[in-house]
Amino acid sequence: MEIEKLWEEVRELNLGTSSQVERLESPPSPLRFLRDFVSPNKPCIISNATLHWPALSSWTQPSYLSHALSSSPVSLHLTPNGLADALVPRPDDPSSLCFVSAHVQRMPFSDALNLVSSSSLSNSFVAYAQQQNDCFHSEYSALAPDVDSHIPWATEALGCLPDAVNLWIGNHLSETSFHKDHYENLYAVISGEKHFLLLPPTDVHRMYIRDYPAANYSYSQDTGEFTLELEKPLRYVPWSGVNPFPSPADRDREMAFFPLYFNGPKPFECTIKPGEILYLPSMWFHHVRQSPDERGLTIAINYWYDMQFDIKYAYFNFLQSICGPSSFFLPEARTWEVSDISIPTTSADAANEDLSCSVLSATHNDIPLATKSEPGASEIAILSEVADA
Amino acid sequence: MEIEKLWEEVRELNLGTSSQVERLESPPSPLRFLRDFVSPNKPCIISNATLHWPALSSWTQPSYLSHALSSSPVSLHLTPNGLADALVPRPDDPSSLCFVSAHVQRMPFSDALNLVSSSSLSNSFVAYAQQQNDCFHSEYSALAPDVDSHIPWATEALGCLPDAVNLWIGNHLSETSFHKDHYENLYAVISGEKHFLLLPPTDVHRMYIRDYPAANYSYSQDTGEFTLELEKPLRYVPWSGVNPFPSPADRDREMAFFPLYFNGPKPFECTIKPGEILYLPSMWFHHVRQSPDERGLTIAINYWYDMQFDIKYAYFNFLQSICGPSSFFLPEARTWEVSDISIPTTSADAANEDLSCSVLSATHNDIPLATKSEPGASEIAILSEVADA
């Protein structure tokens, strides 16, 4: 059995072979949610899930949020282009990539909201009010009465309260690259729309995950410019190299570099609207874009519940380990050009050691094999070596 | 990651590292059963689960069963030694093995019960009243009022009624060799005790499953002897070669032939007593022995619920497929001797084609590799070839 067969089988048995996500017209019973979605690790969209939340009307009123939060300090994430937690050229070697986090600045909510609204590429920054540390219960606690503090049927099904609740206030420029979380995720949209691409954990090798050195943006208000710095000491973050929406000019190149993604089964695709919740199962890879409301904002809140580290998780780790811990058919070193706003999404760091693998069929064997990257000191050596080449 | 790491990880994360099965003092709520056991694919024992069943007292009264069933015809399974669905020497080539099913005879219940009670090896037959075809609802329907028709908390959790309910009336000589079922299994003991060995689906390669030609016992009342015949046309059954309880004389040999079983993590072990239920999760390998009550009987009833063919099942199939569909480090052709009553449990059929596999560590590489066997015509050729060797 090849790995491709696994990708097919999980769809035939469990997920369906279309790219549609199952939709429920109302919240499921806890038992049904657990049996039909959490246990089989299958996403669903729940319509009419949060219509009773005051937030659905109040948060869309012009000055409600600013009044409610007034001068509460919140964390604002700033990037040059809306792509945080993304791969960009290394500052010390632009022919290879690093994993960059946003510049985070605490400021009064009203200022933050203004910056989110006025973000544009011509302004040369994009602001995103968010913080994935249970920020709803800290920075945004004044809004607590406007939504449920947890999702009752999910809480009952999962047997625990959410571990974190995060609020996201952004605009159409913010985009989250493919990644997975170790949480059961209930994702509710309040205003605007969120567009998800989803791939099951079985498809891990189609994500081309490698370790990248961590870097941070630093924004200077004086110059209005971003600088990019690698973390010292170097720290490595495993991340997907796949950009599912390459520009037309880049498409052929990206398809050649990530054939398992582009030639395999299509990702599941869905748009979540106000009043709806996406159940995003633990360990699913997801890519998120958003459409704004008439104010230019997209507002969402997500509830992270602890996942069970059970036989599924053990199977996943075994699968991921096959043919190296964090690489799989990565191409050899490549070069690319920095265009205006698009950020290249693959790595030039691959060395050439062969890595044989019998579980993929011969159809992809025309792509050169890459070595697995070892996080830590050895990685630095490999990267330097390739950079010099 | 090697496969051994998977065996360890599923225990560390999910099952515990002792060989104990978790015990609940009373039936769980449907949600807890689903969340803590079915979804993570984890067995448990439920004490005080069936104390309200009239069967617990009535079926142990001397003549109750005979009265209730009187002359109802039931299916009696006859073997020379208590081992049905087991591996025995092929009738046409005693140096290799086949998969044998019992001689099944329909007879009035009272006669069947007498034969079960009077079974002994000196009688040269062992009788087992059972039939895995929902027999409780057909042959034994007169007993229906004595037990619950389903297990309410399991039915609610799984969202369906049992697909089959089977009754088992046997004695201490009957033993069921390692196998797995595609059902969620609720196994209730009424009288006597059942002793289970359990291994999770992740351990599939430790079971040394291969395809064996199917055969049947045929018992002659005239001669009091069994004959053994291969099915025609040949039909192949995948079955485990592991006998977990070899005689002291055979132990070293069995350990050398099945090192992954004998040197790996111990199987989970449990004894189920009257009033208790074992939740035996789908796809778990199980081996069953039994102790009788004072009448020499062991009586149990099991409820098979449909399993979900979800991501766990897809992962299992992928895992099982690694290094060939139904063999894994099987030794080369071996010979063995038929002793009085013990039935050899491994195969002499393995051919010698190498099958490389990178997922097992080097520690087992001293065992010669076997070829995968292809069910069907090609298998016949391979078997003949080896038999001639």
Side-chain angles (χ1 to χ4, degrees):
Chain A
M1 184 179 184
E2 290 126 8
I3 274 185
E4 289 96 330
K5 183 80 182 60
L6 173 62
W7 304 339
E8 279 171 32
E9 191 167 280
V10 77
R11 287 167 172 79
E12 281 166 12
L13 292 172
N14 190 34
L15 303 172
T17 49
S18 83
S19 59
Q20 298 252 319
V21 176
E22 188 168 337
R23 181 178 286 274
L24 312 181
E25 284 309 313
S26 59
S29 71
L31 258 175
R32 185 183 173 203
F33 178 56
L34 187 57
R35 181 201 306 131
D36 293 350
F37 301 101
V38 181
S39 174
N41 199 236
K42 178 179 177 176
C44 64
I45 301 165
I46 302 100
S47 299
N48 307 305
T50 60
L51 299 181
H52 60 289
W53 289 4
L56 253 73
S57 53
S58 60
W59 292 9
T60 54
Q61 287 159 23
S63 55
Y64 178 87
L65 288 175
S66 296
H67 268 110
L69 293 161
S70 61
S71 59
S72 306
V74 301
S75 301
L76 191 71
H77 287 228
L78 292 170
T79 59
N81 50 21
L83 308 176
D85 291 356
L87 300 181
V88 298
R90 269 178 80 135
D92 59 344
D93 170 15
S95 71
S96 68
L97 297 175
C98 61
F99 171 83
V100 67
S101 300
H103 173 95
V104 183
Q105 196 162 331
R106 296 260 290 176
M107 62 178 72
F109 177 75
S110 329
D111 298 346
L113 193 63
N114 283 339
L115 289 174
V116 173
S117 301
S118 64
S119 293
S120 75
L121 295 175
S122 53
N123 267 355
S124 72
F125 70 81
V126 175
Y128 202 169
Q130 60 114 331
Q131 192 73 355
Q132 294 176 58
N133 61 352
D134 198 33
C135 69
F136 189 68
H137 288 136
S138 51
E139 301 180 351
Y140 297 94
S141 58
L143 301 179
D146 299 342
V147 302
D148 283 346
S149 61
H150 63 115
I151 309 294
W153 40 272
T155 298
E156 197 176 335
L158 300 167
C160 56
L161 285 165
D163 201 51
V165 183
N166 304 309
L167 187 71
W168 311 75
I169 304 180
N171 58 48
H172 67 289
L173 294 168
S174 287
E175 184 173 323
T176 307
S177 58
F178 265 123
H179 69 287
K180 65 174 171 11
D181 299 309
H182 291 72
Y183 284 105
E184 305 296 351
N185 198 346
L186 278 292
Y187 207 112
V189 172
I190 314 278
S191 193
E193 296 179 351
K194 292 266 182 181
H195 312 289
F196 289 85
L197 293 182
L198 305 170
L199 277 179
T202 46
D203 292 30
V204 57
H205 295 110
R206 300 179 59 206
M207 292 279 88
Y208 296 85
I209 293 166
R210 302 194 65 241
D211 290 306
Y212 295 92
N216 293 287
Y217 280 126
S218 181
Y219 180 71
S220 158
Q221 274 182 284
D222 296 339
T223 65
E225 282 183 1
F226 286 88
T227 53
L228 175 62
E229 271 188 60
L230 288 180
E231 287 186 17
K232 298 273 165 55
L234 284 175
R235 178 175 70 91
Y236 286 83
V237 177
W239 207 255
S240 168
V242 174
N243 170 13
F245 300 109
S247 67
D250 291 345
R251 188 168 168 81
D252 286 351
R253 194 182 55 184
E254 295 289 315
M255 286 183 66
F257 274 92
F258 303 115
L260 299 180
Y261 177 80
F262 287 101
N263 300 334
K266 283 196 175 170
F268 293 83
E269 230 172 314
C270 62
T271 289
I272 309 300
K273 300 182 177 178
E276 298 177 344
I277 288 180
L278 170 66
Y279 165 56
L280 202 172
S282 56
M283 308 297 288
W284 273 62
F285 297 96
H286 50 290
H287 178 281
V288 196
R289 294 182 301 167
Q290 39 199 8
S291 301
D293 60 20
E294 59 280 1
R295 295 167 298 172
L297 298 179
T298 310
I299 309 180
I301 184 167
N302 85 290
Y303 299 74
W304 266 342
Y305 287 83
D306 280 338
M307 66 174 278
Q308 280 199 323
F309 293 92
D310 60 12
I311 195 172
K312 294 192 284 281
Y313 184 73
Y315 275 132
F316 172 82
N317 284 339
F318 175 74
L319 177 66
Q320 186 175 38
S321 76
I322 289 178
C323 291
S326 61
S327 77
F328 202 75
F329 283 112
L330 267 181
E332 290 189 63
R334 55 175 285 198
T335 56
W336 41 265
E337 289 156 27
V338 182
S339 59
D340 281 344
I341 60 154
S342 82
I343 296 294
T345 53
T346 190
S347 167
D349 313 342
N352 298 319
E353 186 194 328
D354 263 7
L355 190 69
S356 70
C357 180
S358 61
V359 289
L360 274 187
S361 77
T363 54
H364 298 300
N365 283 349
D366 47 342
I367 304 296
L369 299 176
T371 184
K372 67 178 187 180
S373 62
E374 296 289 343
S378 62
E379 168 92 342
I380 303 168
I382 290 172
L383 294 178
S384 314
E385 199 181 315
V386 177
D388 296 344
Chain B
M1 185 178 183
E2 289 128 8
I3 274 186
E4 289 97 329
K5 183 80 183 62
L6 172 62
W7 304 339
E8 280 168 32
E9 191 166 281
V10 77
R11 287 166 172 80
E12 281 164 14
L13 293 172
N14 191 34
L15 303 171
T17 48
S18 82
S19 59
Q20 298 252 317
V21 176
E22 187 168 337
R23 180 179 286 273
L24 311 181
E25 285 308 313
S26 60
S29 71
L31 258 176
R32 183 179 176 207
F33 178 57
L34 187 55
R35 181 201 306 131
D36 295 348
F37 301 100
V38 180
S39 174
N41 199 239
K42 177 180 178 175
C44 64
I45 301 164
I46 301 99
S47 300
N48 307 305
T50 61
L51 299 181
H52 60 288
W53 288 4
L56 254 71
S57 54
S58 61
W59 292 11
T60 55
Q61 287 160 23
S63 54
Y64 177 86
L65 288 175
S66 296
H67 266 110
L69 293 161
S70 62
S71 57
S72 307
V74 300
S75 299
L76 192 71
H77 287 227
L78 292 169
T79 59
N81 49 20
L83 309 176
D85 291 354
L87 301 181
V88 298
R90 268 179 81 138
D92 59 344
D93 171 15
S95 71
S96 68
L97 298 175
C98 61
F99 171 83
V100 67
S101 300
H103 174 96
V104 184
Q105 197 162 332
R106 297 261 288 177
M107 62 178 72
F109 176 76
S110 331
D111 297 346
L113 193 63
N114 283 338
L115 288 174
V116 172
S117 303
S118 64
S119 293
S120 75
L121 295 174
S122 53
N123 266 357
S124 70
F125 71 81
V126 174
Y128 202 170
Q130 60 114 330
Q131 192 74 352
Q132 294 177 59
N133 61 355
D134 198 32
C135 69
F136 188 69
H137 289 137
S138 51
E139 299 179 352
Y140 296 95
S141 59
L143 301 179
D146 299 341
V147 301
D148 283 347
S149 61
H150 62 114
I151 309 293
W153 40 272
T155 298
E156 198 177 335
L158 299 167
C160 57
L161 285 166
D163 201 53
V165 183
N166 303 310
L167 187 70
W168 310 75
I169 304 180
N171 58 47
H172 67 290
L173 294 167
S174 287
E175 184 174 324
T176 307
S177 58
F178 266 123
H179 68 288
K180 65 173 173 9
D181 298 310
H182 291 71
Y183 284 105
E184 306 294 353
N185 198 345
L186 278 292
Y187 207 113
V189 172
I190 313 279
S191 194
E193 296 178 350
K194 291 266 183 181
H195 312 288
F196 289 85
L197 293 182
L198 305 170
L199 277 179
T202 47
D203 292 30
V204 57
H205 295 111
R206 301 179 59 205
M207 293 279 88
Y208 295 86
I209 294 165
R210 303 191 67 240
D211 289 306
Y212 295 92
N216 293 287
Y217 282 126
S218 180
Y219 179 71
S220 159
Q221 275 181 283
D222 295 338
T223 65
E225 283 182 2
F226 287 89
T227 54
L228 174 63
E229 271 189 61
L230 288 180
E231 286 186 17
K232 298 275 166 54
L234 284 176
R235 177 175 72 90
Y236 287 84
V237 177
W239 208 255
S240 170
V242 174
N243 171 11
F245 300 109
S247 67
D250 291 346
R251 189 166 169 83
D252 285 350
R253 192 180 56 184
E254 294 289 316
M255 286 183 68
F257 275 92
F258 304 115
L260 299 180
Y261 177 80
F262 286 102
N263 302 334
K266 282 196 175 172
F268 292 83
E269 232 173 311
C270 62
T271 289
I272 309 301
K273 299 181 177 179
E276 298 177 344
I277 287 180
L278 170 66
Y279 165 55
L280 203 172
S282 56
M283 308 298 285
W284 274 61
F285 297 96
H286 50 289
H287 178 280
V288 196
R289 294 182 301 168
Q290 40 200 4
S291 301
D293 60 19
E294 58 281 1
R295 294 167 298 173
L297 298 179
T298 308
I299 309 180
I301 185 167
N302 84 292
Y303 298 76
W304 266 341
Y305 287 84
D306 280 338
M307 66 174 278
Q308 279 198 324
F309 292 92
D310 61 11
I311 195 172
K312 295 192 283 281
Y313 184 74
Y315 274 132
F316 173 82
N317 283 340
F318 175 73
L319 177 68
Q320 185 174 40
S321 76
I322 290 177
C323 289
S326 62
S327 76
F328 202 75
F329 284 111
L330 264 181
E332 291 190 62
R334 56 174 284 196
T335 56
W336 40 265
E337 289 156 26
V338 182
S339 58
D340 282 343
I341 61 158
S342 82
I343 296 297
T345 52
T346 189
S347 166
D349 313 342
N352 299 321
E353 186 194 329
D354 262 8
L355 190 68
S356 70
C357 180
S358 61
V359 289
L360 273 190
S361 75
T363 54
H364 298 302
N365 281 349
D366 48 343
I367 305 298
L369 299 172
T371 186
K372 69 178 188 180
S373 61
E374 297 288 342
S378 60
E379 168 94 344
I380 304 166
I382 291 171
L383 295 178
S384 312
E385 201 180 311
V386 176
D388 295 344

